């Protein structure tokens, strides 16, 4: 099927292309939002005491505080400045960041906006962080504006103005100049801060890896924070940067291990109307992504389960490298496809059951409503959607085909029918497909998937398993896990990983 004139679309980026290991606060905040609080580790006691004293001084004196503080690069100054409400929820509101000029009007605007969002009885101190002026201390004019603002009676009096620096000399000069203009401050400035204790760095890195990607066991890909010695790094920033660099290099290495990125989708075709037990075997936030721990828990004592337990790192690598997904497919999706593209005997059987002829539009609609269809066109949601009860026609029709059996090559006929439907569907979605095939060896590796098609440079391999009855129930959880793990084992061997 030619991709000329078609848009490059389809599933979201391959999982390997999505994985990240942010090493700076700004990038972490972009990826995690409020979840970043789960990475924050309380600073050592001297730093805590200084920050708490700043809050108490502002409240006792009725005047805002100017708080220049310093630490070497990578210590975590930005993280600390943006986490005061986490460490001292009764004393500080969430931190505001001033990114423009430092003036009375700008400071008041930022503080007023923060106070307006608070309940009327909230008397906490508002921290304002000035993080864009490193090595560029305030001028005498700016210090005068800061003094005026901190004594302002509406919002300035309840503000802590944070000014982080890497140079202790600059921070001390800043504090001295401010004292000369505003008088002796309520607390000793500047404040020398310490980052999180070294013994916490490994757990911070582990949590960063998990939270930033919402995929468990990524340390098994070959870059494990436990393998790094925090004592070899001058700061937590340098530690995280090294782990991040190695993780990115490993991610790119895995992408290059096959000539083209491969995706794997295993589809359980049955009378089950929705994903059923598959929801217990897949990632809750990555639509359909296999959960290695859940698969092993379901069949740990089976032969294939024991094999994967001995190759746990490889299991994570295969799931990530194949962006491996699980989907169910119900009769209301498959029966219209088989009615149009099945063999003569299948079409006759379905016709005898009054299953009407399917138009291309029917095929497109049935696939578009399925979880697999949503995965293919990139509209999949983080959780499965129940599709409802199969119709009074499609369910008996599927049951009849199941009674006749899915063996003796019959499943290969079904698989070829599915590819014809997928071709129509992708064509209708305007998704460019450069090549496709059923039961054919890939031209760059030994794999022979049931279906394959290339979308946006990725080769999507689809493996179908046709099952009788409402198969996706908890009763079959172990059998499903075994089947999936065996498929993964086969792929690992064909790709030379095992």
């Amino acid at each position: 099927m030619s991709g000329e004139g078609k848009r490059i679309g389809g599933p979201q980026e391959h999982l390997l292309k999505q994985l990240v290991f942010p090493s700076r606060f700004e990038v972490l905040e972009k990826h995690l939002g409020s979840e970043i609080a789960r990475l924050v580790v309380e600073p050592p006691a001297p730093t805590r005491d200084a920050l708490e004293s700043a809050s108490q001084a502002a409240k006792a004196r009725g005047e805002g505080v100017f708080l220049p503080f310093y630490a070497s690069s990578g210590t975590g100054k930005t993280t600390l400045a943006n986490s005061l409400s986490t460490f001292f929820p009764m004393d500080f509101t969430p931190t505001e960041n001033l990114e423009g000029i430092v003036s009375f009007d700008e400071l008041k605007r930022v503080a007023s906006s923060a106070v307006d969002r608070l309940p009327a009885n909230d008397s906490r101190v508002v921290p304002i962080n000035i993080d864009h002026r490193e090595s560029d201390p305030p001028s005498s004019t700016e210090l005068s504006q800061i003094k005026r603002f901190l004594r302002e009676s509406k919002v300035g009096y309840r503000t802590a103005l944070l000014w982080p620096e890497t140079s202790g000399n600059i921070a001390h000069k800043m504090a001295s100049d401010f004292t000369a203009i505003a008088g002796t401050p309520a607390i000793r400035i500047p404040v020398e801060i310490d980052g999180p204790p070294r013994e916490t760095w490994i757990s911070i890195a582990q949590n960063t890896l998990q939270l930033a990607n919402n995929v468990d066991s990524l340390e098994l890909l070959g870059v494990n924070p436990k393998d790094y010695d925090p004592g070899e790094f001058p700061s937590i920033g340098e530690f995280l940067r090294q782990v991040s660099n190695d993780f990115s290099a490993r991610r790119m290495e895995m992408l290059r291990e096959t000539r083209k990125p491969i995706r794997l989708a295993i589809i359980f075709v049955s009378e089950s109307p929705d994903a059923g037990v598959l929801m217990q075997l897949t990632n809750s936030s990555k639509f359909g992504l296999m959960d290695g721990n859940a698969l092993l828990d379901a069949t740990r004592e089976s032969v294939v389960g024991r094999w994967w337990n001995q190759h746990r790192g490889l299991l994570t690598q295969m799931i990530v490298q194949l962006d491996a997904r699980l989907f169910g497919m119900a009769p209301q999706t498959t029966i219209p496809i088989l009615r149009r593209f099945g063999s003569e005997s299948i079409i006759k059987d379905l016709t005898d059951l009054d299953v009407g002829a399917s138009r291309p539009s029917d095929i497109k609609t049935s696939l578009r409503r399925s979880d697999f269809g949503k995965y293919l066109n990139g509209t999949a949601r983080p959780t499965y959607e129940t599709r409802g009860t199969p119709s009074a026609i499609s369910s008996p029709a599927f049951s009849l085909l199941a009674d006749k059996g899915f063996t003796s090559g019959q499943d290969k006929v079904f698989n070829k029918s599915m590819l014809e439907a997928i071709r129509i569907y992708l064509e209708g979605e305007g998704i460019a497909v450069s090549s496709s095939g059923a039961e054919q060896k890939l031209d760059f590796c030994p794999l022979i998937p049931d279906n394959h098609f290339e979308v946006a440079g990725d080769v999507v391999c689809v493996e179908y398993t046709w099952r009788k009855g409402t198969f996706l129930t908890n009763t079959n959880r172990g059998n499903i896990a075994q089947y999936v793990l065996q498929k993964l084992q086969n792929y690992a061997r064909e790709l030379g990983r095992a």
Side-chain angles (χ1 to χ4, degrees):
M1 177 167 42
S2 172
E4 185 178 354
K6 303 297 181 184
R7 71 178 175 90
I8 300 297
Q12 295 179 349
E13 274 192 318
H14 192 291
L15 182 61
L16 269 174
K17 298 175 184 177
Q18 296 180 43
L19 296 180
V20 294
F21 191 111
S23 59
R24 291 190 56 80
F25 176 84
E26 295 84 355
V27 185
L28 276 168
E29 187 177 42
K30 176 184 175 182
H31 280 276
L32 299 181
S34 62
E35 284 288 285
I36 197 171
R38 294 170 61 182
L39 293 177
V40 173
V41 175
E42 195 169 65
T47 299
R48 261 191 344 264
D49 292 345
L51 294 169
E52 190 172 30
S53 296
S55 165
Q56 296 305 316
K59 292 179 179 178
R61 199 163 171 176
E63 180 179 318
V65 294
F66 180 52
L67 193 65
F69 61 92
Y70 66 98
S72 59
S73 179
T75 302
K77 297 184 297 297
T78 301
T79 302
L80 176 65
N82 284 276
S83 304
L84 299 189
S85 62
T86 299
F87 300 135
F88 310 102
M90 303 303 292
D91 298 307
F92 290 101
T93 69
T95 301
E96 303 294 322
N97 284 277
L98 176 65
E99 298 179 353
I101 61 173
V102 179
S103 67
F104 173 86
D105 290 337
E106 275 299 290
L107 290 167
K108 185 175 180 180
R109 180 189 64 78
V110 172
S112 297
S113 176
V115 170
D116 288 345
R117 296 194 300 270
L118 299 172
N121 61 349
D122 191 332
S123 61
R124 291 178 296 169
V125 172
V126 178
I128 299 179
N129 185 34
I130 300 178
D131 200 29
H132 66 294
R133 292 282 298 272
E134 190 173 301
S135 300
D136 181 16
S139 65
S140 57
T141 300
E142 288 174 323
L143 287 173
S144 295
Q145 294 278 298
I146 290 170
K147 179 189 78 169
R148 179 187 168 201
F149 166 69
L150 295 175
R151 294 177 178 178
E152 192 270 335
S153 60
K154 292 186 177 179
V155 290
Y157 77 97
R158 57 179 295 184
T159 302
L161 188 61
L162 315 176
W163 198 299
E165 257 297 342
T166 54
S167 167
N169 291 334
I170 291 178
H172 278 88
K173 178 71 164 52
M174 198 187 312
S176 175
D177 290 347
F178 182 74
T179 299
I181 291 175
T184 303
I187 59 171
R188 178 178 293 181
I189 57 172
V191 174
E192 182 178 11
I193 68 165
D194 292 315
R198 286 182 187 271
E199 59 267 24
T200 67
W201 293 5
I202 289 175
S203 64
I204 290 173
Q206 290 173 319
N207 291 336
T208 298
L209 191 58
Q210 199 283 322
L211 289 173
N213 298 289
N214 276 316
V215 179
D216 292 329
S217 306
L218 285 179
E219 69 278 2
L220 299 179
L221 292 183
V223 177
N224 191 336
K226 285 184 177 180
D227 296 335
Y228 295 77
D229 180 6
E232 296 180 357
F233 300 88
S235 69
I236 186 172
E238 287 299 318
F239 174 76
L240 291 176
R241 195 168 295 116
Q242 185 62 61
V243 180
S244 176
N245 290 343
D246 292 347
F247 182 78
S248 296
R250 175 59 182 145
R251 182 178 66 85
M252 292 306 300
E253 179 186 4
M254 292 180 69
L255 271 172
R256 297 187 184 110
E257 283 178 351
T258 52
R259 214 173 77 198
K260 296 178 182 178
I262 296 174
R263 298 171 182 261
L264 171 62
I266 296 178
I267 300 181
F268 287 84
V269 188
S270 72
E271 290 184 56
S272 295
D274 52 44
V277 74
L278 296 185
M279 295 180 67
Q280 301 174 25
L281 302 173
T282 52
N283 186 293
S284 61
S285 60
K286 303 281 187 184
F287 188 74
L289 183 70
M290 296 178 190
D291 183 324
N293 291 330
L295 289 167
L296 286 178
D297 287 344
T299 184
R300 197 172 292 274
E301 296 306 316
S302 66
V303 173
V304 71
R306 288 197 300 270
W307 189 89
W308 277 116
N309 264 315
Q310 296 169 3
H311 301 81
R312 186 61 187 85
L314 180 62
L315 178 58
T316 294
Q317 291 176 41
M318 292 307 299
I319 290 173
V320 171
Q321 192 163 29
L322 297 173
D323 196 356
R325 312 273 171 156
L326 293 180
F327 300 105
M329 191 170 286
Q332 58 264 45
T333 302
T334 54
I335 291 302
I337 293 171
L338 297 177
R339 174 63 176 83
R340 183 172 181 85
F341 297 114
S343 64
E344 289 185 9
S345 62
I346 291 173
I347 292 174
K348 180 180 183 305
D349 288 339
L350 294 178
T351 302
D352 290 344
L353 287 175
D354 294 328
V355 177
S358 303
R359 299 165 298 176
S361 59
D362 298 326
I363 304 297
K364 295 174 189 175
T365 299
S366 64
L367 270 171
R368 189 178 295 117
R369 289 174 176 171
S370 70
D371 286 325
F372 182 58
K374 289 182 178 295
Y375 164 73
L376 288 180
N377 69 13
T379 62
R381 297 182 182 180
T383 55
Y384 293 99
E385 295 179 8
T386 299
R387 300 295 170 213
T389 304
S391 74
I393 295 177
S394 60
S395 187
F398 188 91
S399 180
L400 172 67
L401 297 181
D403 288 339
K404 291 197 170 187
F406 296 133
T407 57
S408 302
Q410 187 76 301
D411 57 335
K412 296 186 182 300
V413 176
F414 294 166
N415 296 342
K416 290 179 180 178
S417 300
M418 293 303 302
L419 180 61
E420 294 299 325
I422 289 171
R423 284 171 171 157
I424 284 182
Y425 174 64
L426 295 176
E427 175 83 17
E429 295 293 293
I431 297 173
V433 178
S434 55
S435 64
S436 62
E439 313 287 346
Q440 293 178 3
K441 178 181 171 297
L442 301 183
D443 61 5
F444 61 94
C445 69
L447 291 172
I448 307 176
D450 292 340
N451 288 173
H452 77 267
F453 42 92
E454 186 172 339
V455 175
D458 294 352
V459 177
V460 182
C461 297
V462 187
E463 303 287 355
Y464 303 96
T465 176
W466 299 77
R467 303 295 179 125
K468 185 175 181 178
T470 52
F471 186 72
L472 300 181
T473 62
N474 201 54
T475 305
N476 293 315
R477 181 168 171 264
N479 291 333
I480 291 169
Q482 284 187 53
Y483 179 87
V484 172
L485 291 175
Q486 285 165 354
K487 278 292 180 185
L488 285 175
Q489 187 183 61
N490 293 341
Y491 268 66
R493 287 170 173 165
E494 292 293 335
L495 292 171
R497 306 288 186 271

